[in-house]
Amino acid sequence: MIAAELARRAADPAFAERDFLRTRQEALTYRDAERRAASLAAGLHRLGVRNGEPVVALMGNSVELVLLWLAVARLGAVHVPVNTALIGDGLAHAFRLTRARIAVVDDDLAAPLDAVRDRLPDLQRVVRVPSSEFDELASSTPGSPVPAVVEVDPLEPAIMLFTSGTTGVSKACVLSHTYVLRQGALHAQALGLTADDVLYTPFPLFHIDAATLTVVAALSVGGTAAIAPRYSTSGFWDDVRRFDASVMSFMGATLAMLWQAPADPRDRDHRVRLAWGVPMPGWKADFEARFGIPLYEVYGLTDAGVPVYDPLDAPHRTGFAGRVLDAFEVAIADVEGRLLPPGEVGEILVRGREPGLVMNGYFAMPEATERAIRRGWVHTGDLGMLSDDGWLAFLGRSGEVIRRRGENISALDVEAAVQTHPEVAEAAAIGVPSELSEEEVMVFVVRRPGTDLDGATLTAWLTERLAAHMIPRFVEFLDALPRTPTEKIAKVRLRERGRGEGTWERIG
């Protein structure tokens, strides 16, 4: 488990005084991180936190969030970081699903939680950060007992990360201690990371990218994780230089935003030796030439880990995400679940060659788990093709998931919120191509008879009901939604239709 790995590094003179974590506010050595996490674990233990109990964190990227994660891990409890953009029903759903008794919440994020607190019968204690209460939890008096790292079954839950999964409303992926440690170690191995590397990410710690593939990957080699509070095009390279980063990640539109920024004489003034992420742009070579950074693609998802990497020892193949790691099996299946030969297009399936490399399942959602994991294979809902020599081409996402700027968005969540408007009779949400890569959210709406709802009014309504990244950029009103013979909404036809002259666009 990560707490044991941190303790091991902190006890090793070769790593104890090396930086484990850097933020804009402070840097923590391995020894400091171990000491402070142990002290916070003692405070949580006084609150009754024990092995297997979920502890929710509604917090932005910070030293405190990383220390909370490590403290929870030390007790054998389950770390549950929640998307900080959630409000209303989405936030209440996340808290209710976990059944958490204790939550640690940034003070500036407390208002949305307070607004739904009466809908959370299991939640007994909310600790705000900063506050004297948190300071007391995080401090130990001389001679006070500090709990030892709890020994746990490596396949027991360590963390829950929320994802839209392949279909339906948001789910909590239950990830084991093995998953967390091995994914970080495999990532480090695939990218050739060493103790001298500083891994930089501006992405949130409620995502696998920042959590497992940055913090844990750094821990696995004795390197340094550098965490920014959020992505900023104007501040990105300043952070890279401030942290002396040698490895950086990209996802969604971030690479396009960096590329579209005006050229600067300092574009190559950095120590970054590689960048990894998705999607790979068509102007890959031009970006590499401008910034002097080779780009490597990966394929993965929280549910199934990251089984595919652009290899360091072979050139990138256009149209392919990379080669399957030896630790995983990847297959392609038809709609009936039958495995297809190389060169055929179908759904991407993933399973580990060792226990714990994919999720345990969706917390408190046994039926969704059974649909997602069949015969040991995680059904990703993504379309792809395998080559004869084990390279995977990722061809798009199927199902009800919209991928916008690195976020997985459940189309059903968007539709449910739209349909709360009293003038909406029916709605269907889809992803449409974005000029920045990935997708934008578009919703087709049928008004109730005699109403004149417009796009601006609808999206204003949604600002009180959806996270900002979920609010549709495009709205189109139809007299009726297209249907299949079984009366399901024919989203294939809506995707074919896409944006048109009658589409309203939200600006800003």
Side-chain angles (χ1 to χ4, degrees):
M1 60 188 296
I2 61 170
E5 182 67 9
L6 176 65
R8 185 177 73 83
R9 293 288 184 195
D12 186 339
F15 295 97
E17 299 305 323
R18 295 175 66 104
D19 280 355
F20 165 56
L21 180 69
R22 292 176 186 167
T23 70
R24 291 178 184 172
Q25 284 70 44
E26 61 180 310
L28 285 185
T29 65
Y30 277 90
R31 179 172 290 158
D32 287 340
E34 158 68 6
R35 175 182 56 81
R36 289 176 60 178
S39 182
L40 181 54
L44 294 173
H45 193 266
R46 292 194 297 271
L47 290 184
V49 175
R50 298 294 187 269
N51 185 16
E53 179 177 359
V55 177
V56 170
L58 184 62
M59 304 172 70
N61 285 4
S62 63
V63 166
E64 289 77 14
L65 176 54
V66 175
L67 290 174
L68 176 66
W69 176 13
L70 294 167
V72 167
R74 189 181 184 92
L75 298 173
V78 183
H79 177 54
V80 189
V82 171
N83 190 325
T84 56
L86 291 177
I87 58 175
D89 290 342
L91 184 61
H93 165 73
F95 269 79
R96 280 199 306 267
L97 183 66
T98 66
R99 305 166 189 163
R101 179 176 62 90
I102 294 173
V104 182
V105 180
D106 281 348
D107 193 57
D108 60 357
L109 296 172
L113 179 60
D114 290 343
V116 298
R117 185 75 183 271
D118 61 347
R119 292 190 259 166
L120 309 177
D122 296 308
L123 186 61
Q124 299 175 17
R125 187 80 171 261
V126 174
V127 178
R128 296 194 180 194
V129 181
S131 69
S132 58
E133 182 181 18
F134 183 81
D135 291 342
E136 290 173 9
L137 284 179
S139 63
S140 57
T141 58
S144 62
V146 174
V149 176
V150 173
E151 293 187 9
V152 295
D153 183 331
L155 298 181
E156 287 298 307
I159 188 171
M160 286 192 272
L161 295 181
F162 279 85
T163 173
S164 295
T166 56
T167 60
V169 297
S170 300
K171 308 172 184 69
C173 288
V174 178
L175 309 176
S176 68
H177 296 278
T178 292
Y179 177 107
V180 171
L181 275 179
R182 286 291 286 145
Q183 290 293 341
L186 288 169
H187 184 72
Q189 180 181 348
L191 295 180
L193 306 182
T194 73
D196 292 327
D197 278 313
V198 178
L199 282 57
Y200 168 70
T201 184
F203 304 120
L205 283 160
F206 52 75
H207 274 184
I208 182 177
D209 309 69
T212 304
L213 304 182
T214 300
V215 174
V216 182
L219 177 63
S220 74
V221 294
T224 302
I227 308 294
R230 64 190 61 82
Y231 172 79
S232 163
T233 300
S234 62
F236 186 91
W237 296 113
D238 288 338
D239 273 342
V240 165
R241 298 180 190 103
R242 174 187 292 113
F243 295 131
D244 193 31
S246 61
V247 175
M248 72 184 211
S249 59
F250 62 88
M251 66 178 179
T254 56
L255 209 62
M257 293 175 182
L258 295 174
W259 174 242
Q260 292 171 7
D264 188 290
R266 302 186 68 194
D267 279 344
R268 281 175 169 255
D269 181 15
H270 57 74
R271 193 172 71 93
V272 178
R273 63 181 185 84
L274 68 85
W276 64 270
V278 290
M280 188 63 73
W283 31 264
K284 171 182 182 292
D286 292 333
F287 185 97
E288 292 175 332
R290 173 178 166 183
F291 294 102
I293 301 172
L295 304 179
Y296 293 91
E297 191 169 1
V298 303
Y299 168 78
L301 62 164
T302 306
D303 319 49
V306 186
V308 173
Y309 284 80
D310 248 343
L312 301 181
D313 59 357
H316 175 75
R317 293 187 189 178
T318 301
F320 286 85
R323 191 165 57 197
V324 180
L325 298 183
D326 291 341
F328 287 91
E329 292 180 86
V330 172
I332 305 299
D334 64 15
V335 293
E336 302 298 327
R338 294 184 292 260
L339 300 188
L340 297 172
E344 294 288 325
V345 174
E347 183 183 15
I348 301 171
L349 312 185
V350 179
R351 67 183 178 189
R353 295 186 185 273
E354 56 190 76
L357 286 190
V358 300
M359 69 171 178
N360 292 7
Y362 299 122
F363 185 70
M365 290 185 171
E367 293 180 358
T369 299
E370 289 177 8
R371 289 194 298 269
I373 306 177
R374 289 170 262 163
R375 299 182 298 279
W377 292 104
V378 175
H379 287 243
T380 68
D382 294 340
L383 300 177
M385 177 189 69
L386 279 171
S387 69
D388 290 325
D389 56 351
W391 286 65
L392 175 72
F394 168 64
L395 302 176
R397 299 184 182 275
S398 58
E400 297 292 345
V401 178
I402 301 167
R403 181 76 172 179
R404 181 179 187 269
R405 301 190 185 184
E407 295 277 359
N408 283 339
I409 299 169
S410 167
L412 301 186
D413 286 348
V414 176
E415 290 161 2
V418 171
Q419 288 171 170
T420 63
H421 194 285
E423 295 183 28
V424 172
E426 196 171 25
I430 63 169
V432 295
S434 168
E435 72 276 13
L436 293 174
S437 77
E438 296 193 322
E439 298 174 307
E440 295 287 351
V441 180
M442 180 171 183
V443 63
F444 292 89
V445 177
V446 178
R447 301 183 185 93
R448 292 189 182 277
T451 62
D452 58 358
L453 179 66
D454 58 34
T457 303
L458 176 61
T459 54
W461 168 273
L462 294 174
T463 60
E464 302 297 324
R465 291 160 178 82
L466 286 175
H469 67 277
M470 300 173 70
I471 297 173
R473 176 177 171 183
F474 301 105
V475 179
E476 185 160 343
F477 294 92
L478 302 177
D479 293 332
L481 296 176
R483 302 279 179 177
T484 68
T486 56
E487 288 303 303
K488 293 181 179 179
I489 298 172
K491 288 198 172 179
V492 170
R493 289 167 60 187
L494 292 176
R495 293 187 183 98
E496 291 172 349
R497 178 189 181 103
R499 288 173 281 169
E501 293 183 359
T503 304
W504 176 87
E505 180 178 359
R506 179 170 58 93
I507 305 299

